[in-house]
Amino acid sequence: MGPGMRTLYYLLREAWVNLRTNRTTTMVAILTTAFTLACVGVFLLLYVNLRAAAGWLQDDIKIIVYLDDHLSSDARADLEQQLRGDHAVAAIHFVSKEQALGEFKDQFPSESHLLEGLGQNPLPASFVVTLGPAFRSLDAVKRWSERVQGMTDVAKVDYNQDWIDALAMVIRSIELVAIGIGVILSAAAVTIIANTIRLTLLARRDEIAILRLIGATTGFIRIPYLLEGAVLGGLGSAISLFMLKLLYELFRREMRTSGKLSGLDNLLAFFPMPLCLALIVVGMALGCAGSFVSLRRFDEAKA
């Protein structure tokens, strides 16, 4: 075994010894960190699914271009050709007054008698327009709708803007809450791990003093404790993901058995694997930060 491998083996062994020095404190730190990061994960999971829902709404958005009642068939054909020639339009479907009336009766059978007393069909003809993928953002849809609204023979342009705007506002709110809670709870996780490392430092302060006397560098002394913090943070993050996955599956099963929300469970998604790995890395980084804080305080106390 070369010098480099012996050094690595020593550092890893020391980190393992540190973890075993205060087993109870280590387990408490891991579980507390797990619960802390799980609270952040709940908001992050909600945020991820709402962002996905917003994407589904944008992909499925239909813009309805209502036509003037006096519009002739030739003028309608010209308008349709003009819309089809628009580079933002991916698909267009014409709905006549008769088709609109039939769809209204199918969707609202109990209210169809309200239209019978009017004598004539009050529903306008329309074009149902689907925009291309590059033009489905909220700003792009709004700009396109405003432009078409100004065209001749167009009575009104409508789309589910209220739903999308409301969802966007909810997403922004959850994002801000998640950031705020994430910062607070991340600081709490750093503090928890820092206190755990501090107990280990106090338990092994004589060994640290001996290492300094024989010329060990500060970095060489610190590495095992940084590794210990990384392990604590990584394990805490991994356990929090397991807890979130368990709650996620229980929630989906409850949705399937409730009946009212049956089918919506298939639209929910857990964190993708790259994000899970990223969260574990974040946990390890928080653990290293906690170790660094504790080491700095320990060195200052020694000084």
Side-chain angles (χ1 to χ4, degrees):
M1 184 182 296
M5 290 300 296
R6 283 198 298 270
T7 302
L8 178 60
Y9 174 75
Y10 171 80
L11 295 175
L12 293 175
R13 188 189 64 186
E14 288 297 296
W16 172 248
V17 170
N18 291 343
L19 290 170
R20 296 185 60 186
T21 300
N22 298 288
R23 296 181 184 178
T24 303
T25 307
T26 297
M27 290 303 301
V28 170
I30 292 174
L31 293 178
T32 308
T33 303
F35 279 105
T36 302
L37 296 178
C39 293
V40 181
V42 168
F43 286 93
L44 184 58
L45 190 59
L46 183 61
Y47 172 74
V48 168
N49 279 277
L50 285 177
R51 282 295 300 268
W56 297 330
L57 279 178
Q58 288 185 6
D59 290 341
D60 195 45
I61 190 171
K62 298 291 189 295
I63 303 176
I64 304 176
V65 180
Y66 293 103
L67 309 179
D68 289 335
D69 280 339
H70 65 273
L71 187 65
S72 65
S73 58
D74 291 340
R76 179 189 65 78
D78 291 340
L79 179 59
E80 182 176 358
Q81 184 176 4
Q82 187 176 357
L83 291 176
R84 289 187 183 277
D86 194 319
H87 67 283
V89 175
I92 185 170
H93 173 66
F94 175 68
V95 178
S96 65
K97 292 171 65 69
E98 292 74 17
Q99 289 174 322
L101 180 60
E103 291 178 0
F104 180 86
K105 290 181 178 180
D106 291 339
Q107 295 179 11
F108 307 100
S110 61
E111 308 294 339
S112 59
H113 66 280
L114 298 176
L115 300 179
E116 295 176 357
L118 297 178
Q120 62 180 10
N121 182 4
L123 300 178
S126 62
F127 288 117
V128 179
V129 179
T130 302
L131 298 182
F135 301 94
R136 292 176 185 170
S137 66
L138 293 179
D139 291 338
V141 170
K142 185 177 181 180
R143 288 195 301 269
W144 190 90
S145 300
E146 291 174 348
R147 178 163 57 84
V148 174
Q149 182 71 65
M151 290 183 176
T152 307
D153 301 323
V154 172
K156 183 182 179 183
V157 179
D158 194 17
Y159 60 97
N160 51 345
Q161 180 180 5
D162 293 339
W163 280 95
I164 296 177
D165 289 344
L167 183 59
M169 184 179 66
V170 171
I171 291 174
R172 285 193 295 269
S173 300
I174 292 178
E175 186 176 12
L176 292 175
V177 171
I179 291 174
I181 292 179
V183 171
I184 295 172
L185 295 183
S186 296
V190 170
T191 303
I192 292 167
I193 294 173
N195 289 332
T196 304
I197 300 299
R198 180 173 176 272
L199 292 176
T200 305
L201 288 169
L202 292 175
R204 306 192 66 185
R205 57 183 179 272
D206 293 337
E207 296 179 30
I208 294 174
I210 293 173
L211 287 173
R212 285 174 173 167
L213 288 175
I214 62 177
T217 63
T218 302
F220 183 83
I221 296 173
R222 286 182 173 183
I223 287 176
Y225 300 95
L226 293 173
L227 290 175
E228 180 186 358
V231 171
L232 292 175
L235 287 176
S237 183
I239 293 174
S240 72
L241 287 172
F242 175 79
M243 294 165 56
L244 287 172
K245 180 65 174 177
L246 181 61
L247 292 174
Y248 165 79
E249 294 297 340
L250 290 175
F251 181 70
R252 286 189 62 191
R253 187 175 67 178
E254 184 64 25
M255 291 181 67
R256 285 195 295 267
T257 56
S258 65
K260 294 182 180 180
L261 300 176
S262 179
L264 291 179
D265 59 293
N266 294 324
L267 300 178
L268 298 177
F270 193 68
F271 298 130
M273 184 56 65
L275 183 54
C276 290
L277 295 176
L279 291 175
I280 292 176
V281 171
V282 169
M284 295 175 67
L286 292 176
C288 287
S291 296
F292 184 77
V293 169
S294 188
L295 287 165
R296 286 291 300 271
R297 290 176 179 175
F298 183 79
D299 290 341
E300 290 173 0
K302 284 293 182 181

